Amino acid sequence: MTAPIRVPELARWRLILGQSADDACSSAGCSLSEQELAMDAAIEWLYGRDDEDGERNIRRQGGRGSSQLTTPQWINDIHTLFPKETIERLERDAIERYAIEDIVTNPAVLAAARPNETLLRAVLRTKHLMSPDILVIARRLVQEVVRQLMEKLARDLAVAFSGVLDRRRHSAFKSAANLDFRRMLRDNLKHYDPERRRLTVEKLRFFARNQRHMKTWQVILLVDQSGSMLDSVIHSAVTAACLWGLPGIRTHLVAFDTEVVDLTQDVDDPCELLMKVQLGGGTDIQKAVAYATNVIEQPERAIVVLITDFYEGASAAMLVQRVAQLTAQRTIVLGLAALDSQAQPAYDHDMARRLVRVGAEIGAMTPGQLAGWLAEKIGR
């Protein structure tokens, strides 16, 4: 559950009336923040078309935020800018009042769309509005984007879990990550052309890696499925699927809002898993942590990765207590305010500090960085 966006009363009236109210708003000392301008653009994108159908006599004006939103961008914007009740009203008006159907009801448009993460987010946010035939097409799109994400993460995992470099030995296995750069320069300096300032490389050496000999670890991913955490939900599903196939790791994936849903049985099929996720609702983080506690078999060989914005909708004191109990039994607790390609978090800093004080590690990571962190913890 993201911290609620509080819009001042005058700014709310300005958003309702549109740009025509700018002068009155300014004279009253009101100006829109960057976030409020984005809200204005999203409202204008939808309701600014009323005049075209003759439904209203006065046309709203505004939209000095993002230019020319596409439907997927608009869907993603409203899910980050507005509360749940407003999102539902905007989506319903878009479909029923304005017949904007190029995402959720038009199979030709969806089938022709280029699979990408923006479109994936829009599909996951509106899949409850799709008819069965549209869902078939949407599922194929989800599969393609997930496949692309898994290919990239699989490479990161292969490097992270392949063992540590042994700089005393060389190997015939050729990998850029293992390149002995100094030896490469030493062996090939005789081929340097000073006039052309070019080094011709004829011989390469690669370090060997020591293989990891790991006992089994449990990695339990607890993923907040509130709307603001969608990027993290997507990347958590992909990360869990990639970890699933690694020796020495037993992966669990648990999604939560006010309820807890164990999705571990679907971890090997991240597309199916994502289509089951129900976004939105409140957040009961402590309940998810309690569930993880009951799943753990050997506390000292377990890692709980809590992926959330830390805005606890239930008992903050109980959340801190449950995390303290985990760390006291030597279970590693990592709190991630974001797990996505950008790793730019927005989260409750106060709660994060409280969890750090009882032994948790808090950060924001890309999936590749998480893979490296897990390999370090498990391999030491």
Side-chain angles (χ1 to χ4, degrees):
M1 180 178 64
T2 307
I5 298 172
R6 291 183 173 85
V7 179
E9 186 175 358
L10 283 176
R12 285 203 302 271
W13 278 108
R14 162 61 183 80
L15 291 174
I16 292 170
L17 296 173
Q19 191 177 345
S20 59
D22 266 350
D23 291 341
C25 185
S26 297
S27 63
C30 168
S31 61
L32 298 184
S33 67
E34 182 178 348
Q35 191 171 47
E36 289 159 359
L37 285 171
M39 297 170 82
D40 190 44
I43 294 169
E44 170 66 15
W45 185 89
L46 182 62
Y47 296 109
R49 63 193 72 210
D50 276 345
D51 261 3
E52 300 169 8
D53 299 325
E55 292 186 33
R56 298 163 91 185
N57 294 323
I58 300 175
R59 175 177 171 79
R60 285 189 79 263
Q61 296 182 19
R64 292 178 297 166
S66 302
S67 61
Q68 300 302 315
L69 288 170
T70 64
T71 304
Q73 290 169 338
W74 178 78
I75 290 170
N76 290 324
D77 282 354
I78 65 172
H79 276 262
T80 57
L81 293 169
F82 297 101
K84 184 173 184 290
E85 296 77 9
T86 306
I87 294 168
E88 291 173 351
R89 174 59 185 271
L90 290 169
E91 288 181 341
R92 186 168 66 250
D93 282 353
I95 300 299
E96 298 177 359
R97 182 174 176 181
Y98 298 106
I100 299 172
E101 54 183 26
D102 55 343
I103 278 295
V104 296
T105 62
N106 191 324
V109 171
L110 191 58
R114 177 178 173 270
N116 57 65
E117 287 190 54
T118 298
L119 193 55
L120 171 60
R121 290 191 292 270
V123 166
L124 295 179
R125 281 170 168 147
T126 56
K127 64 182 188 294
H128 62 286
L129 301 172
M130 295 180 179
S131 61
D133 59 322
I134 297 294
L135 274 172
V136 171
I137 301 172
R139 189 179 294 273
R140 288 200 293 267
L141 183 148
V142 173
Q143 287 173 333
E144 175 57 25
V145 180
V146 166
R147 183 192 64 77
Q148 295 170 7
L149 293 173
M150 287 189 69
E151 282 186 356
K152 181 180 184 304
L153 181 56
R155 293 193 294 270
D156 294 336
L157 281 167
V159 172
F161 284 88
S162 61
V164 295
L165 282 178
D166 184 347
R167 299 184 182 277
R168 298 167 300 177
R169 298 186 299 117
H170 287 92
S171 168
F173 178 71
K174 298 177 181 180
S175 167
N178 303 343
L179 177 65
D180 184 343
F181 188 75
R182 290 184 179 179
R183 184 65 177 268
M184 181 269 291
L185 288 177
R186 189 166 66 245
D187 289 348
N188 295 281
L189 273 176
K190 61 185 177 183
H191 304 302
Y192 180 68
D193 184 341
E195 293 184 2
R196 301 173 64 187
R197 304 183 67 182
R198 178 174 297 178
L199 177 67
T200 301
V201 177
E202 295 184 355
K203 185 185 298 184
L204 292 175
R205 294 291 188 97
F206 299 88
F207 289 121
R209 283 184 178 266
N210 292 322
Q211 295 301 310
R212 298 180 185 273
H213 299 285
M214 300 183 299
K215 297 179 181 178
T216 299
W217 281 73
Q218 275 183 289
V219 176
I220 305 168
L221 303 177
L222 302 177
V223 189
D224 184 341
Q225 61 178 349
S226 58
S228 62
M229 296 297 295
L230 178 55
D231 279 354
S232 294
V233 172
I234 292 170
H235 287 276
S236 296
V238 171
T239 300
C242 290
L243 289 173
W244 185 259
L246 292 178
I249 296 180
R250 291 182 52 220
T251 308
H252 305 259
L253 182 63
V254 178
F256 67 91
D257 42 36
T258 54
E259 299 298 328
V260 176
V261 182
D262 194 326
L263 299 170
T264 303
Q265 66 178 4
D266 293 314
V267 160
D268 61 342
D269 187 350
C271 171
E272 182 65 26
L273 189 153
L274 287 172
M275 295 303 283
K276 288 183 177 181
V277 167
Q278 300 296 320
L279 299 168
T283 311
D284 192 339
I285 308 174
Q286 66 86 27
K287 182 186 287 187
V289 176
Y291 183 87
T293 301
N294 292 328
V295 170
I296 293 172
E297 296 172 0
Q298 298 183 54
E300 69 281 4
R301 302 198 71 79
I303 299 176
V304 174
V305 183
L306 177 59
I307 305 166
T308 179
D309 53 18
F310 302 108
Y311 288 103
E312 175 62 291
S315 171
M318 184 60 72
L319 171 58
V320 175
Q321 180 180 328
R322 293 194 188 283
V323 171
Q325 290 170 346
L326 284 176
T327 58
Q329 67 183 20
R330 298 176 61 193
T331 294
I332 299 172
V333 179
L334 174 63
L336 291 184
L339 179 66
D340 55 51
S341 57
Q342 302 300 318
Q344 296 178 346
Y347 63 101
D348 186 333
H349 292 257
D350 179 63
M351 175 55 72
R353 283 191 290 268
R354 293 174 67 182
L355 297 181
V356 168
R357 284 197 291 268
V358 297
E361 299 181 44
I362 304 294
M365 297 181 181
T366 65
Q369 289 169 335
L370 175 60
W373 183 90
L374 288 172
E376 177 189 344
K377 296 296 183 182
I378 290 172
R380 69 185 181 185

